Structure formats: C-alpha cells, structure tokens
Amino acid sequence: SSWLRKLSKQLGVTVEIEMVDIQVRPFLDLTRAEIQQRLLNKISSGRYYAVLFSPPCSTFSRVVWANRRGPRPVRAFTKPRGLERLTWAERKRANWGNAMADFTFKAFEAQAQQSGAVAVFENPEDLGAVKSGENYGIRPASMWQWPQFTKLLELEQVQSIAFYQQDFGTEYLKPTRLLSAGVVELPEFFMKGAPTFDDQGFYRGPLQGRAAAK
C-alpha cells in the first residue's frame, strides 16, 4: 500500500521485495508447517536485510465489537486465542489467525537476531476497551496483548511505536503499531512505547486522541 511505501522511504529502507501473499502466490500458505520452516530457515540464514511483517488482522479487528449485528467476534482480551462456543467456521478462522500471529512473532524474532538486519511488524494499535455502544467496557483482542510481544520488547534492539496512518497521507486515522528491530531514526510523529491502559482497560496512550479527517 502507499503508506507502506512512504514508511520504507522514511526509514531509508530500499530492498528487493520477495512477497509472501497467498492471493499472489497461493503455494506459500503459511498455515503449513513446512512452508513456515522454509521461510524461517531463510531468515535465520541471514538471507534478508529487511523483513516487513503484516499478518492478517481480520480476526483481531475491533470493528466486530461496534454492535451485535454480526459477524460475531471470534476472540477477546480474556480469550485471545478464541472464544468458547464458536461455530466450526468461526473456530477455523480463529485458528487461522492464531497460526499467522504465532509465525509472525517467531519469524520477527529470528530476523531481529540477525546482525545489522531490519525487522518491522505492523498491526493495528491495541486501543483497549470499547468506549461506546452496546459493548461498552469490553476489551477486544489484539496481537499486542500476546506474551510474545512483551518478551520481544526485552531485547535491546527491539522497540515499539504507534502512529496514525493519516500522517502518511491516508484519508483515515487508522491507529497503527509497529514492532521494530534495527531501525534507529524514526519520523517525529512516531510515539515510542508499548500501549498503556487504565485499571478498567481503557486506552491511555501513547497516541493522543485526534479527530478523524473530514
């Protein structure tokens, strides 16, 4: 997407791209253990200078918590890997999202451990509990709630920042979080630090509230 191209330019990263997208290359199905291991082997061998991870966030989307008209959420803060009493199709979606998240954290760590390498993991910001509507106070799931995120932040070369995609020229705010390794200089509108919440789970920062563009 255009904002990712602008981000690469901001970070000074220009690389030959090898895309893993089953819409374009269906044989690279990351739910398959052998495909995951093949890519992990490439990363661990130091083949790539920079790797950008953008795992599908559909099963982690907070949009499904806007009302109860459907589709139903398949996970929440209290049940990050899948709610109880899901249908077969919903459980399949939850497990697919779990596989994508688990692999991304594992692959990011492998890339981050390479000397002089760059790793960037992108997903929507964890905005905490819902602040309005029928599901007020319920806290949706986020990949940034997973224990692997906290563990990776303990590595010296790893940092996490939040920003609005609007600052890259989009027409929407889209609060986004990056987990990065090997990236030193950052745009001034990037806010460093993990997401924080009050004792009821409502978002406190580091992003400050902003009105959506009109």
Side-chain angles (χ1 to χ4, degrees):
S1 65
S2 60
W3 82 266
L4 284 174
R5 295 190 189 96
K6 292 178 181 177
L7 173 61
S8 298
K9 185 176 180 180
Q10 287 268 8
L11 299 179
V13 175
T14 303
V15 294
E16 180 181 351
I17 297 175
E18 182 173 343
M19 181 179 292
V20 178
D21 184 336
I22 60 172
Q23 294 297 321
V24 180
R25 307 172 79 183
F27 58 91
L28 290 176
D29 181 355
L30 286 175
T31 63
R32 296 167 54 189
E34 66 272 21
I35 300 299
Q36 289 191 9
Q37 192 58 55
R38 187 186 308 167
L39 289 171
L40 286 171
N41 290 344
K42 288 182 178 181
I43 291 171
S44 298
S45 70
R47 175 166 179 168
Y48 306 112
Y49 166 67
V51 181
L52 172 63
F53 303 93
S54 186
C57 60
S58 58
T59 67
F60 292 86
S61 174
R62 56 190 294 117
V63 172
V64 294
W65 293 100
N67 54 59
R68 298 179 184 177
R69 294 193 292 270
R72 297 197 310 169
V74 299
R75 64 178 87 246
F77 175 76
T78 54
K79 294 288 184 179
R81 298 189 71 87
L83 296 168
E84 298 175 356
R85 300 177 182 175
L86 296 177
T87 66
W88 178 87
E90 289 169 339
R91 178 64 62 189
K92 183 178 180 181
R93 288 179 56 234
N95 290 340
W96 173 76
N98 294 342
M100 295 296 97
D102 285 335
F103 171 76
T104 301
F105 279 113
K106 186 182 297 183
F108 177 93
E109 183 174 13
Q111 177 69 5
Q113 291 175 340
Q114 303 302 308
S115 178
V118 172
V120 179
F121 173 179
E122 174 271 340
N123 233 234
E125 171 68 310
D126 178 4
L127 294 174
V130 177
K131 294 184 177 180
S132 63
E134 303 170 54
N135 292 311
Y136 175 86
I138 294 178
R139 191 167 171 188
S142 168
M143 288 189 198
W144 308 124
Q145 296 161 2
W146 287 36
Q148 295 98 312
F149 173 58
T150 303
K151 179 183 176 183
L152 286 168
L153 287 179
E154 296 174 357
L155 300 177
E156 183 178 354
Q157 71 274 31
V158 173
Q159 62 180 330
S160 189
I161 55 91
F163 65 98
Y164 287 109
Q165 288 190 25
Q166 188 181 63
D167 290 324
F168 286 99
T170 66
E171 296 180 356
Y172 42 83
L173 289 175
K174 192 66 179 293
T176 301
R177 176 161 293 278
L178 300 181
L179 186 65
S180 69
V183 178
V184 178
E185 296 186 13
L186 298 169
E188 60 181 10
F189 49 79
F190 277 21
M191 306 300 294
K192 294 182 181 180
T196 60
F197 311 90
D198 65 19
D199 56 5
Q200 294 182 301
F202 290 102
Y203 186 74
R204 294 177 58 186
L207 286 177
Q208 301 301 306
R210 180 194 295 186
K214 294 183 180 180

